[in-house]
Amino acid sequence: MIKYLFIFLFSIQFGNAQVTNLDCVTAILANNGYTTHLFPNTGNGNINDLQTPNTISNPQINPIGTNAGCMLANESDPQWFIFKICNSGNFELLMGSDLGSYPQMGFSDWSIWKYTASTCSKIFNNQLGPLRCNWNSSIIGGTGICDTLNLPPNGVKYNYEPPLHVNAGDSLILCFSNYSGLNYFVDFLSTGTASINCSVITSLPKTTLLAQKAVLYNTSTNKIDVLDKDIKIITIHDVQGKEIYKNKMSGVDFIDCSNFNKGLYFLTYYSGNETGATEKIIIQ
């Protein structure tokens, strides 16, 4: 993989932008759907958080994934973000994916660590390894933490790392590098069962009565087929937690998605008096 420090086709060069979260200690809180403005030529802030050599906090060999490594160029026009975990489950995060408003246009390397009051000091002193990290292999399809069997449209598997199990009350800190020196935007979409926006219902225990797959999105018909006839109620929320569909399913075999915007939704179904389950549905 060959990378160039500046991709002139996509970047507009101007002086240092007024970005406030260039350092670990000035990281800002981000939630689901957050959009950040990338700027070129911002340097690495007041603190070079990932100093060289940095074999633990920024290892040269990716400790989890299968791609080349972590942030091999260290900080490059970085921004730092904190995510607070609302409920236990798998943390998955899409950054610059085609499901968002601003698809990836350049290399955006990143690392993520568990966050506590001492995290920034430990990262600076090469004492805390990342939970996940990625040295991008592609400038299209987005990047982030996601099961490679369920990548977003045009996603390249070497730009994504495996889901991360987290507990309610945890916090994570992300260093996001603008390696290509873009003047652009990136949005964050939380797609796992561990929400970073507590208004979104993302996970319910599955009922033991539903042995088969209960619902299936059919791309050829643009409908959600209801496969399990025991389902009584279905609700659908978008990624912001807004309920866009609720219906008693007596005699209903499918849900027409022609009026839905393209993107990710959470479909929750209930069978009789049993607790329901939530499925992720990507409308294409």
Side-chain angles (χ1 to χ4, degrees), residues 6-23:
F6 299 105
I7 298 181
F8 290 98
L9 288 174
F10 299 136
S11 60
I12 301 175
Q13 307 296 322
F14 41 79
N16 286 355
Q18 297 301 310
V19 186
T20 61
N21 59 323
L22 294 174
D23 297 311

Side-chain angles (χ1 to χ4, degrees), residues 24 61 71 88 95 102 142 177 188 194 199 207 231 242 247 253 272:
C24 181
I61 298 176
M71 299 175 68
S88 300
M95 297 176 281
Y102 302 99
S177 174
F188 301 146
S199 65
T207 170
I231 291 178
K242 180 181 178 181
N247 195 14
D253 295 326

Side-chain angles (χ1 to χ4, degrees), residues 64 89-93 131-132 144-149 160-166 192-193 280:
I64 301 294
N90 283 335
F91 176 77
E92 298 183 48
L93 185 69
L131 299 172
R132 298 288 188 271
I145 298 175
C146 180
D147 190 334
T148 55
L149 297 178
Y160 288 88
E161 301 299 330
L164 174 64
H165 182 76
V166 290
T193 57
K280 291 187 294 185

Side-chain angles (χ1 to χ4, degrees), residues 9 29 58 77 81 91 152 171 194 216 225 230 236-237 268 275:
L9 288 174
L29 184 65
N58 185 28
D77 296 341
F81 303 93
F91 176 77
S171 291
L216 179 67
D225 294 326
D230 289 330
I236 300 177
H237 292 74
T268 303
T275 303

